[in-house]
Amino acid sequence: MLHIVDDEAVVRDALTWLATTRAIPARAYESGAQFLAHAGEFDPDGDCVLLDVRMPDMNGVAVFDQLLSRGLAQRMPVIFLTGHGDVPMAVDSLKRGAFDFFEKPFNDNQLMDRVQEGLANSRRASEHAAVHARLATLSTREREVLDLILAGKMNKVVADELGISMRTVEVHRAHIFDKMQVKTAVELAGLLK
């Protein structure tokens, strides 16, 4: 989902239309506060934010600061749009984690290419967060068994190294596969690389 945050209706409409030409679903917001009320409602196909720098009440930099403080900037890459930018502002935004910075007027194709890259980054960040959430469900012993499985050790070797029975290793292995939503050790290794 492309989130368009701009106080000018003409800009919101134009960017929404531009997104539809690339089959990118878009939602427009006329203020930073309106957008922040919905921030964190993630789209499984990824999220990207086109954020105007100059808006009344809450400017784009303040909105970006809110996304950073909520830990959402990785899953919602921000592309700043401005007609009043300068090099120090762009550099500062990029150093703090903005995905890109465009000055108005901008090249439509370049902007939409970056939006698609932002959406792809968002999907990867969401997948990464989901894997880490599943890892957090593993017990300490399951983590120890996981580490040895990933090292390529057979159940008997894992049992010997941890001083537990082979049957216990098999039970832990089954729990790990279930919690991590995989069927094989190869799939598990691919998920965690």
Side-chain angles (χ1 to χ4, degrees):
M1 172 76 61
L2 176 61
H3 303 273
I4 301 163
V5 187
D6 198 300
D7 60 320
E8 294 182 51
V10 173
V11 174
R12 289 192 309 272
D13 292 344
L15 290 170
T16 301
W17 175 83
L18 192 56
T20 61
T21 65
R22 295 269 187 120
I24 299 170
R27 186 178 296 155
Y29 308 88
E30 63 185 44
S31 72
Q34 185 185 34
F35 164 68
L36 287 171
H38 299 282
E41 298 170 8
F42 298 115
D43 187 313
D45 291 326
D47 292 280
C48 185
V49 181
L50 289 179
L51 184 57
D52 187 20
V53 172
R54 283 201 178 170
M55 295 182 290
D57 299 326
M58 180 181 247
N59 68 34
V61 175
V63 172
F64 183 59
D65 288 341
Q66 283 290 315
L67 290 175
L68 288 171
S69 70
R70 294 180 189 183
L72 300 177
Q74 284 273 339
R75 294 190 58 189
M76 299 183 93
V78 172
I79 299 173
F80 278 105
L81 298 175
T82 185
H84 308 283
D86 55 30
V87 173
M89 179 190 295
V91 169
D92 180 59
S93 298
L94 294 171
K95 278 184 178 178
R96 293 179 339 114
F99 191 68
D100 212 331
F101 196 97
F102 279 79
E103 280 193 281
K104 297 175 186 173
F106 47 81
N107 177 294
D108 296 353
N109 287 326
Q110 287 177 342
L111 178 63
M112 286 298 110
D113 287 347
R114 286 301 281 165
V115 165
Q116 288 180 311
E117 290 171 21
L119 291 168
N121 280 5
S122 175
R123 281 190 295 276
R124 282 191 296 276
S126 294
E127 291 164 4
H128 186 70
V131 168
H132 278 281
R134 285 184 252 155
L135 275 173
T137 66
L138 299 179
S139 69
T140 303
R141 181 60 85 179
E142 288 168 345
R143 286 298 299 246
E144 292 170 345
V145 171
L146 172 68
D147 291 340
L148 295 171
I149 290 170
L150 292 175
K153 301 200 175 180
M154 303 300 287
N155 288 352
K156 183 173 180 6
V157 175
V158 172
D160 288 344
E161 286 193 24
L162 296 178
I164 57 178
S165 73
M166 201 159 101
R167 176 68 186 136
T168 302
V169 171
E170 291 168 356
V171 169
H172 285 310
R173 186 182 187 108
H175 287 159
I176 292 166
F177 284 14
D178 184 50
K179 289 178 180 179
M180 296 304 295
Q181 302 173 5
V182 296
K183 292 185 180 7
T184 67
V186 172
E187 194 178 345
L188 180 64
L191 184 67
L192 297 175
K193 69 174 179 179

